[in-house]
Amino acid sequence: MRILYYLLQKEFIQIVRNKIILRLIFILPVVQLLVLVNAATMDMKNMEMVICDQDHSSLSNRLISKIEASPFFVLERMTPDVANGRERLESGEADLMLVIPNDFEQDVIKGQSGEIQLLANAINSQKAQLGYAYMQRLTSDLGHQFKLEMTGEKTQSTLSSTYTYWYNPELDYKFFMLPGILVVLVSVVGMFLTAMNLVREKEMGTIEQINVTPVPKYTFIVAKLLPFLVIGLFELALGLVIGKFVYNVPMQGSLWLVFGIASLYLAGLLGLGLLLSTFSASQQQVTFVSYFFLLVFILMSGIFTSVDNMPEWGQKVNLFNPLFYFIDVMRSILLKGAQFWDLWRQILGITILAISFLTLAVLNYRKTS
Amino acid sequence: MRKAESSMDVIKVDKLVKKFGDFTANDHLSFQVKKGEIFGFLGANGAGKTTAIKILCGLSAPTEGRVEVAGFDVEHQTEKVKKSIGYMSQKFSLYEDLTVFENIRLFGAIYGLSAGLIRERSERMLKNLGLYEQRNRLIGNLSLGWKQKLAFSVAILHRPQIVFLDEPTSGVDPVTRRQFWELIYQAAAEGITVFITTHYLDEAEYCDRVTIMADGKIEALETPRKLKKQFDCETMNEVFLKLTRPH
């Protein structure tokens, strides 16, 4: 224990003396959370729409004003020329193009179905899908209204559904993004710092001086992990404070549970960082390898995309992805107020991964080569 | 603790072989080092000196053969060996971003010295070196000569039975080398066995016995005086060239 104390003292002195790393530890989370959470928004508001109204009827005008009033669409331009509208769609100036053919109102009055055409730039398929869904809703509302005015009868024929968004009633995308970005932040900082630390000692040659001493292997490994676990938890706390006061993110569940699971999660991730550093001879190598793992972990984790939409093999890969579990845990605790027993699967996953990574790191760290 | 017959030999190497793939770095080395000796390990670059010293310190595992250091088997009782030895590597390996005292404190604590003992010994050591005023300076800011003297002093802070020095004086000016050897003699006078590798042949003259290695094998092992006599040479330099130059 005494040796551990002196080793930890040494690690913290070195961290504090490294001014650049120290600044990064403080500045990184603030900048990332202030910038990225806002920038990474996927709110489907303000979709740019170009409208080709060939009908110029009262019904088409009503549709257009409904679109204008909707928070989801912004009228980019009105043009009677379909070719021109298509150009705007192709050039990316508009996300959606709506074509109202000239018999639109007539058809509806005659009791036929009035057809309009919606063209969407589906490079961003999510945006296109949502635009279509919003438009669908908007036109069906208008259809019912129009029919009611004309015939005085309410249409019962169509099914309608009402929406309640649980856990995030105002569909504030930031509530969803902040926990995710915070997890990425904590992971990147913790894993890189751990991975680089041991390799730096290899590069400097100091590891040899340590290996020739009778320092117990486990003590040394704990001294290499604990400082970054503390830093990781500190980053998490800092991020949650920003979440609370800047974004007003709800914190429904127990923060004790958040930090408890976070400790377990970090122990595993830092163990992976240490494992990678036992394989690497230079900081360059370990940076590349860590980057590879983190990139896969982050993109698979469901931070931006729904994991349920992934192919089955992708979901299987996520069984080995600590970020997948922890992002889920963070969102569930903060937004839903999930309890320990609601999260036992994720906690089990995190625990198994932590034990595996740490065991491999310990086995692969040798004082004698 | 140790067997009576071996009490004089603190290092016993028997048919040590170290291979890296097809390359044999140490080819059946056998020698003994007596307690209190200054034992020189000579050889050209790449002769296998560093490989051997790393095996003796438990940093590297032997491929074949038996190595006993301070009465313990290096391969199977590695951590016990490590308690009894000090080591100074070819590459300076104290923490450059820690101060002089912080380095001493760290290594002292790892070897189990109490805080009081660390303070006492470091004060005496730093005053002896003339480094006491610099104790709160970062090591990275010291000159190479100071660094080497300090690294040696840290390696013997815990009073090991044996200290291993791997080319401790390479790149150091002649005056500092002289001072460094004075430190070695002081340590030897305190009963610490010194195992030193070098390629400065004048330093070989300071050793009690020297081993000359070439291509992974031991070519000679004797006192410098006897070696010079045996090969009919004036200096160790000539002996070395006779032994290591391709015939």
Side-chain angles (χ1 to χ4, degrees):
Chain A
M1 278 315 278
R2 190 168 160 269
I3 294 181
L4 181 61
Y5 168 79
Y6 281 100
L7 285 172
L8 287 172
Q9 183 186 43
K10 165 220 161 221
E11 295 295 340
F12 278 109
I13 291 175
Q14 288 183 304
I15 291 165
V16 172
R17 291 230 171 105
N18 193 334
K19 294 284 178 265
I20 293 177
I21 295 286
L22 193 66
R23 268 181 225 146
L24 281 180
I25 290 171
F26 282 94
I27 296 171
L28 210 70
V30 178
V31 173
Q32 285 210 348
L33 291 175
L34 292 184
V35 175
L36 286 186
V37 172
N38 282 305
T41 176
M42 279 201 226
D43 278 348
M44 289 305 155
K45 287 177 184 159
N46 307 331
M47 274 181 274
E48 305 265 355
M49 184 184 275
V50 60
I51 299 177
C52 307
D53 183 8
Q54 297 165 336
D55 195 33
H56 296 291
S57 60
S58 70
L59 186 60
S60 74
N61 276 335
R62 278 176 71 179
L63 181 61
I64 291 164
S65 54
K66 250 183 160 339
I67 289 169
E68 279 181 304
S70 152
F72 301 117
F73 303 113
V74 171
L75 190 55
E76 200 263 336
R77 172 169 298 211
M78 296 280 294
T79 172
D81 183 6
V82 177
N84 180 254
R86 191 167 288 163
E87 261 169 42
R88 306 201 68 77
L89 193 66
E90 279 165 6
S91 69
E93 278 159 288
D95 301 310
L96 298 163
M97 170 175 164
L98 182 69
V99 183
I100 308 173
N102 55 20
D103 309 329
F104 176 57
E105 194 185 51
Q106 285 301 315
D107 284 348
V108 176
I109 290 170
K110 279 189 226 149
Q112 296 167 351
S113 66
E115 280 186 359
I116 52 174
Q117 185 186 23
L118 185 72
L119 297 151
N121 175 358
I123 286 178
N124 185 339
S125 61
Q126 219 169 357
K127 213 166 182 178
Q129 270 177 17
L130 272 164
Y132 171 74
Y134 291 144
M135 199 63 211
Q136 187 89 338
R137 224 184 125 128
L138 212 136
T139 48
S140 95
D141 281 356
L142 182 68
H144 294 307
Q145 234 172 24
F146 195 69
K147 190 148 195 187
L148 182 70
E149 286 162 21
M150 286 208 354
T151 60
E153 63 186 57
K154 255 191 154 172
T155 19
Q156 317 264 302
S157 56
T158 34
L159 296 169
S160 70
S161 49
T162 52
Y163 296 86
T164 313
Y165 296 105
W166 276 26
Y167 311 125
N168 191 355
E170 286 151 38
L171 276 186
D172 191 332
Y173 204 78
K174 287 164 198 156
F175 290 179
F176 179 69
M177 282 317 292
L178 184 119
I181 288 180
L182 185 53
V183 170
V184 170
L185 179 84
V186 166
S187 311
V188 169
V189 170
M191 189 163 160
F192 271 100
L193 287 183
T194 313
M196 306 272 265
N197 184 287
L198 185 71
V199 179
R200 195 178 120 85
E201 292 227 19
K202 283 190 193 176
E203 282 183 350
M204 303 293 289
T206 49
I207 194 75
E208 206 172 72
Q209 198 65 50
I210 290 288
N211 283 344
V212 86
T213 68
V215 65
K217 179 171 148 176
Y218 294 94
T219 311
F220 185 69
I221 288 177
V222 171
K224 281 286 169 212
L225 294 180
L226 207 56
F228 304 107
L229 192 112
V230 172
I231 289 172
L233 292 178
F234 168 80
E235 299 281 49
L236 182 63
L238 189 61
L240 288 175
V241 168
I242 293 174
K244 182 84 203 162
F245 292 103
V246 178
Y247 297 106
N248 204 18
V249 170
M251 295 186 188
Q252 304 282 355
S254 152
L255 286 180
W256 289 110
L257 190 59
V258 168
F259 280 92
I261 302 176
S263 306
L264 202 59
Y265 165 75
L266 277 168
L269 198 74
L270 304 190
L272 178 63
L274 197 68
L275 176 65
L276 298 181
S277 67
T278 60
F279 284 111
S280 311
S282 69
Q283 296 191 56
Q284 201 178 28
Q285 284 174 9
V286 84
T287 307
F288 265 110
V289 180
S290 308
Y291 176 75
F292 167 78
F293 273 91
L294 275 173
L295 197 66
V296 173
F297 283 162
I298 291 170
L299 292 181
M300 301 284 295
S301 68
I303 179 173
F304 299 120
T305 47
S306 170
V307 174
D308 299 327
N309 286 349
M310 283 181 193
E312 207 167 319
W313 62 264
Q315 300 192 28
K316 289 234 169 71
V317 170
N318 263 337
L319 290 174
F320 304 97
N321 182 354
L323 261 89
F324 161 68
Y325 296 116
F326 193 50
I327 287 180
D328 197 11
V329 163
M330 285 281 284
R331 282 175 178 158
S332 302
I333 298 180
L334 294 180
L335 306 184
K336 287 203 295 199
Q339 315 259 315
F340 183 86
W341 288 113
D342 305 321
L343 297 168
W344 71 270
R345 273 192 196 85
Q346 290 87 332
I347 295 173
L348 183 69
I350 290 175
T351 310
I352 291 174
L353 285 178
I355 292 173
S356 317
F357 290 148
L358 285 172
T359 309
L360 287 173
V362 167
L363 288 180
N364 207 48
Y365 177 80
R366 288 196 191 90
K367 287 177 75 183
T368 305
S369 61
Chain B
M1 188 164 60
R2 276 177 274 125
K3 278 176 270 166
E5 82 230 44
S6 62
S7 64
M8 283 305 287
D9 292 330
V10 285
I11 300 175
K12 290 199 287 185
V13 179
D14 189 27
K15 299 190 193 74
L16 166 65
V17 177
K18 178 71 178 184
K19 286 184 181 166
F20 297 103
D22 289 339
F23 175 69
T24 307
N26 289 158
D27 191 359
H28 294 85
L29 306 185
S30 296
F31 58 89
Q32 286 86 35
V33 178
K34 293 191 193 75
K35 189 172 179 350
E37 239 186 338
I38 299 178
F39 190 87
F41 215 57
L42 274 58
N45 293 329
K49 295 177 308 229
T50 298
T51 305
I53 211 170
K54 283 195 174 161
I55 292 170
L56 296 185
C57 292
L59 284 172
S60 174
T63 312
E64 278 172 43
R66 202 180 138 76
V67 179
E68 217 177 83
V69 172
F72 299 110
D73 185 304
V74 165
E75 212 176 344
H76 304 108
Q77 298 170 296
T78 319
E79 295 306 297
K80 284 183 176 162
V81 168
K82 286 176 180 173
K83 282 198 178 92
S84 324
I85 63 168
Y87 169 68
M88 178 180 168
S89 89
Q90 213 170 40
K91 194 175 168 191
F92 179 73
S93 52
L94 295 180
Y95 290 95
E96 307 236 350
D97 48 357
L98 297 184
T99 66
V100 172
F101 181 67
E102 283 163 354
N103 269 290
I104 298 172
R105 182 176 60 188
L106 175 67
F107 284 102
I110 289 178
Y111 283 106
L113 304 186
S114 70
L117 204 55
I118 292 171
R119 213 172 312 117
E120 186 194 309
R121 282 192 192 170
S122 66
E123 197 178 311
R124 185 146 32 102
M125 177 245 278
L126 290 173
K127 281 185 174 157
N128 185 28
L129 288 176
L131 255 180
Y132 190 67
E133 302 304 319
Q134 320 278 325
R135 65 190 181 281
N136 291 323
R137 265 179 79 181
L138 293 184
I139 289 214
N141 298 335
L142 298 180
S143 72
L144 182 66
W146 281 123
K147 281 182 182 173
Q148 296 299 84
K149 284 188 269 185
L150 189 66
F152 175 72
S153 305
V154 171
I156 58 165
L157 188 75
H158 59 289
R159 300 289 181 270
Q161 289 188 49
I162 308 149
V163 64
F164 291 92
L165 310 172
D166 193 7
E167 294 187 9
T169 51
S170 56
V172 181
D173 66 69
V175 178
T176 312
R177 265 171 65 196
R178 184 74 227 175
Q179 292 168 338
F180 197 92
W181 272 93
E182 278 162 22
L183 292 175
I184 292 179
Y185 278 122
Q186 276 177 30
E190 287 176 37
I192 297 175
T193 307
V194 179
F195 186 104
I196 180 169
T197 73
T198 180
H199 48 228
Y200 291 114
L201 276 306
D202 58 324
E203 292 186 347
E205 314 266 2
Y206 307 147
C207 298
D208 294 326
R209 280 196 306 155
V210 294
T211 288
I212 297 180
M213 267 187 90
D215 296 329
K217 292 192 180 99
I218 290 180
E219 296 290 335
L221 200 178
E222 252 314 335
T223 63
R225 203 150 49 98
K226 281 190 185 159
L227 278 178
K228 279 184 281 188
K229 205 167 162 189
Q230 184 186 336
F231 291 93
D232 192 24
C233 298
E234 288 287 308
T235 62
M236 281 303 292
N237 206 15
E238 289 170 43
V239 176
F240 184 76
L241 289 176
K242 263 193 183 167
L243 277 170
T244 56
R245 212 175 246 175
H247 308 292

